[in-house]
Amino acid sequence: MLPAVAAQVDRLVSLGATAPLTAEELRIAAKDLPDRPGLLVVAGAAPSVLAPLLRRGDKAGFVVTDMTDAEDFAPLPDVAVPDAPVYLVEGLDRGDHLANRSPDEAYPELARTGRTPLLLTEGVQWVLQDPGALARNACFMTIGSRLRRRNGRLDARTPALWISNGTGRDGRERRDAPKVGWCWAGNRHTWLGFASATARTP
């Protein structure tokens, strides 16, 4: 469960995770947010910078080695993001009920129900504030963010957050660590939901 916005601000300041804002700029901007439950999101926060600050027990988070372009994943055209330094993401849901669907299948279903898919940076900031948002066999994708190639077509990767098993290039020392990675847009996974929200409010 997410703490109050003021407590979320304090956590980001204590972690040194306020960029691209200074701590003082964040405190000032956050005062204008609605006084209701939601996730405080710092616009422009870099997933690769925040990922190592994620924690699960004593394990630090990380970005997979073949996702060096994490910062290039941008909002899809129909995902409306406020033009503001900070905003509130309301009505968060991990999307467990959509598990075992592919991103290509889940995206229109979210739209049909009036929900907006989370961005990668929003998902990382959610887990930063609420580590319990990731659980074994119940993690999530953030399909509001996609990478567009030079030819204009979307890259087939879709970003996700889950818990490492410590296999392959992750390394055994990273077992149980929060992990920022990707899955193919056409693939299904029984353990990945599709995180979404009802609104983004500046």
Side-chain angles (χ1 to χ4, degrees), residues 166-185:
T167 57
R169 287 179 288 183
D170 289 2
R172 284 181 294 178
E173 70 280 2
R174 283 177 164 165
R175 179 174 172 79
D176 292 327
K179 172 178 177 177
V180 175
W182 57 269
C183 299
W184 300 119

Side-chain angles (χ1 to χ4, degrees), residues 2 12 22 48 60 72 91 104 107 115 124 130 148 179 185 195:
L2 286 167
L12 294 179
T22 65
S48 64
D72 296 330
D104 287 343
Y107 196 91
R115 299 190 64 85
V124 173
D130 180 12
R148 195 169 294 279
K179 172 178 177 177

Side-chain angles (χ1 to χ4, degrees), residues 66-95:
D66 56 353
M67 199 175 177
T68 56
D69 51 3
E71 268 67 73
D72 296 330
F73 282 74
L76 287 168
D78 56 347
V79 177
V81 181
D83 182 13
V86 298
Y87 56 92
L88 196 68
V89 175
E90 302 180 71
L92 279 171
D93 182 75
R94 194 167 60 190

Side-chain angles (χ1 to χ4, degrees), residues 99-170:
N100 207 32
R101 299 194 193 193
S102 71
D104 287 343
E105 293 166 334
Y107 196 91
E109 178 62 17
L110 291 174
R112 186 188 68 80
T113 57
R115 299 190 64 85
T116 179
L118 286 201
L119 307 178
L120 174 56
T121 186
E122 294 169 347
V124 173
Q125 291 182 68
W126 184 12
V127 178
L128 191 63
Q129 296 286 357
D130 180 12
L134 285 186
R136 276 284 175 197
N137 300 314
C139 300
F140 62 87
M141 303 192 72
T142 55
I143 59 175
S145 295
R146 294 291 296 272
L147 176 65
R148 195 169 294 279
R149 298 176 180 174
R150 291 183 179 179
N151 63 9
R153 299 181 64 182
L154 289 175
D155 188 278
R157 294 172 296 165
T158 52
L161 288 93
W162 71 93
I163 299 167
S164 174
N165 286 325
T167 57
R169 287 179 288 183
D170 289 2

